[in-house]
Amino acid sequence: MILFNSKSISAAPEQTDNSKSAPIGPHFSPWMLSAIYPLGSRVVLPFYFGRIEISGQEHLPTEGPVILAPTHRSRWDALLVPYATGRCVTGRDLRFMVTADEVKGIQGWFIRRLGGFAVNPRKPSIASLRQGVEILQNGEMLVIFPEGGIFRDDQVHTLKPGLARLAIQAEASQPGLGIKIVPMTLQYSEPCPRWGCDVSIQIGAPLNVSKYAKGAAKQDAKRLTADLDGALRRLNAEERLEERCTASLV
């Protein structure tokens, strides 16, 4: 899953009824969403992984528009992020922004039916970007991986500007919307996760987008990106320190 790198986003018209669902595509399957994630959280993940440690869930908003901004270390992230933040924790379902390459074949069939929607990172369409704005206007939780790809070295890599631009645009399109961006880090005990390895997930305090939407969108997005980068690096450093302390006690 890769974040787009856009230069401009055209926001959708203001939504007056926040109870309406965002237009997430004609193939979306609510029954499959209700089945797949519980199966993953209760059967697949506990069977495949050793320990799954999660901290910071108290930072997760239970209402209002939210962008979850996790580091991206494996395709397992697509199950672990909902496991740590989704329906069983907050009572909320997640929407994923993915690349066009990931909605092909059988994988794409599942992604679309689980609420994912595609963006071409090289040439994002206005329609797909507007869909992200509408999801936020409807007060939902949207997952975007801000690094732009999978990295297996446990370092936070340079963030793409698209997440902040989308958040600023959505906040400006509907004053008082109150979007929050929640930084998250995922770390595996193996660079390529295999059976029995451990997982650690850290969730940080949210950033309030309204504090950054001051009028100059490009500069606002730069400040927001820089602060999100700092939040992710602090979480990552705390996790690595905790791992070293744990290892020293073994």
Side-chain angles (χ1 to χ4, degrees):
M1 299 181 183
I2 304 174
L3 176 64
F4 59 89
N5 185 348
S6 65
K7 294 184 178 180
S8 62
I9 300 171
S10 177
E14 181 173 337
Q15 299 283 331
T16 57
D17 182 359
N18 285 343
S19 66
K20 296 180 180 178
S21 296
I24 55 177
H27 304 294
F28 174 63
S29 174
W31 72 264
M32 185 176 289
L33 185 69
S34 298
I36 291 294
Y37 284 132
L39 177 64
S41 63
R42 296 171 187 170
V43 180
V44 177
L45 295 178
F47 172 78
Y48 190 82
F49 292 103
R51 293 178 302 167
I52 302 177
E53 298 183 349
I54 305 169
S55 63
Q57 287 176 314
E58 68 275 10
H59 295 307
L60 293 168
T62 56
E63 60 183 14
V66 177
I67 299 177
L68 299 177
T71 55
H72 204 4
R73 300 296 169 256
S74 166
R75 292 194 183 277
W76 283 103
D77 298 350
L79 280 178
L80 285 163
V81 171
Y83 176 81
T85 66
R87 184 180 295 187
C88 293
V89 179
T90 61
R92 311 179 72 180
D93 292 322
L94 311 184
R95 303 291 181 248
F96 280 81
M97 181 177 287
V98 302
T99 65
D101 293 338
E102 292 186 273
V103 290
K104 296 178 180 179
I106 187 65
Q107 175 177 286
W109 188 89
F110 276 103
I111 287 174
R112 286 191 296 270
R113 282 158 180 78
L114 292 174
F117 63 99
V119 170
N120 183 335
R122 292 170 292 277
K123 190 177 180 181
S125 70
I126 294 299
S128 61
L129 301 183
R130 183 180 294 120
Q131 191 165 355
V133 172
E134 289 176 345
I135 286 171
L136 295 172
Q137 289 177 331
N138 286 349
E140 298 189 71
M141 295 183 81
L142 175 62
V143 181
I144 303 177
F145 294 98
E147 294 170 303
I150 293 176
F151 298 93
R152 302 190 186 278
D153 57 4
D154 279 341
Q155 301 294 322
V156 176
H157 290 254
T158 302
L159 307 189
K160 304 298 183 183
L163 184 153
R165 289 174 178 171
L166 175 65
I168 293 291
Q169 185 69 41
E171 187 70 33
S173 73
Q174 190 170 314
L177 187 57
I179 300 170
K180 292 181 172 59
I181 299 177
V182 178
M184 296 177 59
T185 57
L186 293 92
Q187 293 187 354
Y188 299 85
S189 59
E190 302 282 346
C192 293
R194 59 182 179 179
W195 183 80
C197 77
D198 298 329
V199 186
S200 177
I201 302 173
Q202 294 259 34
I203 302 169
L207 303 176
N208 295 314
V209 177
S210 61
K211 294 182 179 180
Y212 298 86
K214 301 300 183 181
K218 188 174 182 179
Q219 295 304 315
D220 293 344
K222 283 184 177 180
R223 291 192 301 112
L224 178 52
T225 299
D227 285 357
L228 177 59
D229 180 90
L232 288 171
R233 292 182 187 277
R234 286 190 294 274
L235 283 177
N236 199 61
E238 289 171 8
E239 180 60 31
R240 293 173 70 86
L241 177 61
E242 183 177 330
E243 286 181 354
R244 289 196 295 270
C245 290
T246 301
S248 66
L249 295 175
V250 176

